[in-house]
Amino acid sequence: MQENELINELKQHVNTPLEEARQGEALALEQVVEAQNGRHFYIESYGCQMNFNDSEIVASILQKEGYGLSKDYESADIILLNTCSIRDKAEQRVRNRLKVINQVKKKRPDALVGILGCMAERLKTKLLEEEQVVDIVIGPDAYRDLPNLITEAGGGQKAVNVLLSREETYGDINPIRLDSNGVTAFVSIMRGCDNMCSFCVVPFTRGRERSRNTFSILAEVQNLIDRNYKEVTLLGQNVDSYKWTNPETNEVVNFAQLLEMVAQLSPELRVRFSTSHPKDITNEVLHTIAKYENICNYIHLPVQAGGSRILKKMNRTYDREWYLERVQAIRKIIPDCAISSDIIAGFCSETEADHQETLSLMEIVQYDMSYMFIYSERPKTLAARRYEDDVPEATKKRRLQEIIALQTQHALMRNKAHVGKVYKVLVEKESKRSSDDLCGRNDQNKMVIFPRGNHQPGDYVNVLIESCTSASLKGKVVD
Ligand code: SAH
Ligand code: SF4
Ligand code: F3S
């Protein structure tokens, strides 16, 4: 494959975390739920995995109230968009989508349109002024109130609830798995974020950090196991700061202990987690990953920038040396662990020398994969209030391209190291490129493509890797 082709292929995978890669994707129910009350809702999700999981919680809340799920926004009674504010582009995408939905509303004025999630929380009632088509604005901690807001809006009033909570974790709600392959599922273990990275809008849209009851997490995972799911990804903005105090015994459960409890539920269940914060990931967590075969050897450890000056300005609370020490600890304790990152190009005041530090850190770590972004100023954040967004757009773009080009090389090099080896792969689904092939991930989270044979989603197969690109591995099943 030519280098250009490689870069193009990688580009489909970089800079496209869920909020971009799956934007606008309508969610399909694992089983179609008919409406008990004759009314159907349609829900579309943007943003991170947590937001997608929230849509599954919303679906569960509405289903309990008798609403059925529609896969078609043009005929649904209630059209919901679960939105993301992380970068300006993410918000623009939703605004463009609202233009399309406006056409539906013109034809069917009775249809209700609701904005959920981070844009709802960030913009509050302003959203009603700016987007006439919207009837309901509901923030991430208010979803239990959605049936009430639907009733209110049905009466012709605009309905808003953007209250944030210090306690809400939706722990008792069993999410309805949307867009499910029946094999892998997300399980939120905490909500909110207390970190206040200076570029980030999440603490404003999601509120304070809180951890979900350990027992409710274990019950949800057990329920998935009982329904033949084979992999769970434990979700939080900063999973390493998971901390739940049992009110009856006063015992505290930390993330390493939670991971261990989840892993012990079944050796057949694969356990993944995201996101790890470099300041909080402990050796205890690393030893727990190493101890359990079914906890995957893959850590998403976003660095954001390679130089200590920028990291300080970003309020990441670690420096370059600390980050590299954590990477060394991972390599020592879990030798075959894959590591991925998030990287921002062109943060306020970033000089060419700062940028070079990012590239040089990448050279040292050699990430298996990265999500790479151009800095986008977000209102109210510390960076927006204190620092000037002073790196010219063209410079930001050029730096991002350099970061992407380097990451492409590293991904290819890392993937080449898998060629000739045999990996246990959990079959997820048919390959997008060919119905003759299946695909699934290995322990290191690499997508592996192989001829279908007699295998099914949910099977574990051993695959000998024969070739690779920077984005995936290809091979054949061996015994
Ligand atoms: N909690 C995770 C990040 C969640 S947001 C963590 O701390 O790693 C996902 C990624 O979006 C971030 O890691 C960051 O790289 C990127 N991001 C967040 N705010 C951004 C902004 N204002 N401009 C560009 N990228 C941003
Ligand atoms: Fe945002 Fe930082 Fe919290 Fe991640 S840890 S969600 S980047 S504030
Ligand atoms: Fe976006 Fe909100 Fe997630 S801003 S990335 S949907 S927490």
Side-chain angles (χ1 to χ4, degrees), residues 21-33:
R22 300 172 67 182
Q23 50 116 344
E25 215 171 278
L27 300 178
L29 256 191
E30 52 187 337
Q31 77 247 14
V32 175
V33 177

Side-chain angles (χ1 to χ4, degrees), residues 17 19 48 50 85-87 193 195 197 199-202 236-238 275-278 300-304 316 342-344 371 373-378 381:
E19 74 260 26
C48 58
M50 270 158 280
S85 288
I86 199 82
R87 283 168 290 277
C193 184
N195 279 326
C197 301
F199 52 80
C200 185
V201 78
V202 172
Q237 292 296 357
N238 177 5
T275 300
S276 298
H277 196 297
H300 184 53
L301 194 70
V303 68
Q304 314 296 359
R316 286 292 286 182
D342 293 346
I343 299 171
I344 297 177
Y371 297 113
F373 312 101
I374 281 180
Y375 171 61
S376 163
E377 186 176 270
R378 308 311 290 132
T381 55

